[in-house]
Amino acid sequence: MVEITHGGTWFKWSSLDRRDKWLAGLSIAASLPSGIVAGIMLGGALHRTGQLLGGNGFEEPADTVQRMVDSAAYRSAALVALALAIVSALAWWRFSLRQDELFNRIQNYSMGRAGGWSMAIATGWWFLQLAGLAGAFPLGAFLLAMMLLLLGFWFHGVRRWA
Amino acid sequence: MGVTNRLQPMRSEQRWTQAELAQRVGVSRQTINSIETGRFEPSLGLALKLARLLDVPVETIFALDH
């Protein structure tokens, strides 16, 4: 059974049995390509933000990162990353089923709260967009916010129960 | 209204470590520690497993805080 350590940032590998180690390791390894793909997108978004803050406005699509994102290779990599993200999610689901109620209570709490707040943000944005007060929905920023909410509620759950 | 428990003294009477008790009821050592320190209230199923293992009514281990 997994034991959560370091304030919720890691877990005690020695507490896992062989099957748990395999599932957790597979999930983490399969999620890395998705992180790389997402990191490139995030890098591009932050690059543009920096340009905007610098007062130079956005460069044309000739921008290095934008060219990379528009390339066929990047799009293929994104599809591969999607497939691996699904493998990662399935492995983590199987791993979670094998853990005890403390781990699952913390995980369910973090996912439930993050999901609820994310729905509220998306719904609020939608109504603002309908009212003409907001532009196109920023999917990348939304996913980043959802991830931060998930982490925030995870650490809160660990501090509360573990 | 919280829940208090006597799990730690009852475990000590059996001379079991937290890890040994955890293994007997199928949870992690961390879960047993969290229950004993009052941070985590177990599910009904786990509470009944603990009561059966210690051969006492569940109310002997867990009680509502007045």
Side-chain angles (χ1 to χ4, degrees):
Chain A
M1 294 283 172
V2 70
E3 289 188 25
I4 303 163
T5 62
H6 298 86
T9 57
W10 199 236
F11 43 81
K12 191 176 169 186
W13 279 98
S14 60
S15 67
L16 303 179
D17 64 20
R18 195 172 170 185
R19 180 126 179 101
D20 286 342
K21 282 178 182 169
W22 159 247
L23 289 170
L26 174 63
S27 181
I28 291 169
S31 71
L32 291 177
S34 302
I36 293 170
V37 168
I40 293 172
M41 289 289 287
L42 181 62
L46 291 174
H47 179 67
R48 284 169 168 251
T49 302
Q51 288 178 315
L52 187 64
L53 290 173
N56 293 329
F58 294 129
E59 287 183 6
E60 291 298 316
D63 172 70
T64 303
V65 174
Q66 189 60 47
R67 269 198 311 239
M68 186 192 309
V69 168
D70 288 340
S71 71
Y74 180 82
R75 288 176 181 165
S76 300
L79 288 174
V80 170
L82 174 62
L84 289 173
I86 292 171
V87 168
S88 175
L90 288 172
W92 192 259
W93 170 58
R94 296 295 300 175
F95 171 82
S96 298
L97 286 177
R98 293 167 54 83
Q99 306 315 315
D100 70 2
E101 57 188 63
L102 174 64
F103 174 84
N104 278 291
R105 184 176 298 187
I106 293 170
Q107 183 164 258
N108 291 343
Y109 168 79
S110 66
M111 292 176 80
R113 290 288 177 112
W117 275 101
S118 297
M119 255 180 55
I121 292 169
T123 304
W125 190 284
W126 183 41
F127 281 115
L128 288 175
Q129 192 176 15
L130 291 174
L133 297 173
F137 189 67
L139 183 58
F142 173 75
L143 291 174
L144 180 62
M146 192 169 173
M147 182 63 69
L148 291 174
L149 284 168
L150 190 69
L151 287 174
F153 283 116
W154 168 265
F155 289 127
H156 182 251
V158 168
R159 196 164 59 245
R160 182 175 174 184
W161 289 304
Chain B
M1 199 186 302
V3 174
T4 58
N5 72 81
R6 298 185 58 248
L7 185 62
Q8 192 274 326
M10 298 188 78
R11 173 178 60 79
S12 298
E13 284 174 13
Q14 303 294 326
R15 299 185 190 281
W16 291 334
T17 63
Q18 289 182 340
E20 286 170 344
L21 176 57
Q23 191 174 19
R24 289 170 188 266
V25 293
V27 297
S28 68
R29 183 210 58 81
Q30 186 174 36
T31 300
I32 296 298
N33 179 265
S34 292
I35 293 172
E36 289 183 354
T37 54
R39 286 197 306 278
F40 180 71
E41 291 174 9
S43 65
L44 177 60
L46 179 55
L48 289 171
K49 275 187 192 176
L50 288 165
R52 180 190 290 182
L53 182 68
L54 294 167
D55 197 25
V56 294
V58 69
E59 296 86 355
T60 302
I61 308 174
F62 301 100
L64 285 173
D65 200 11
H66 295 291

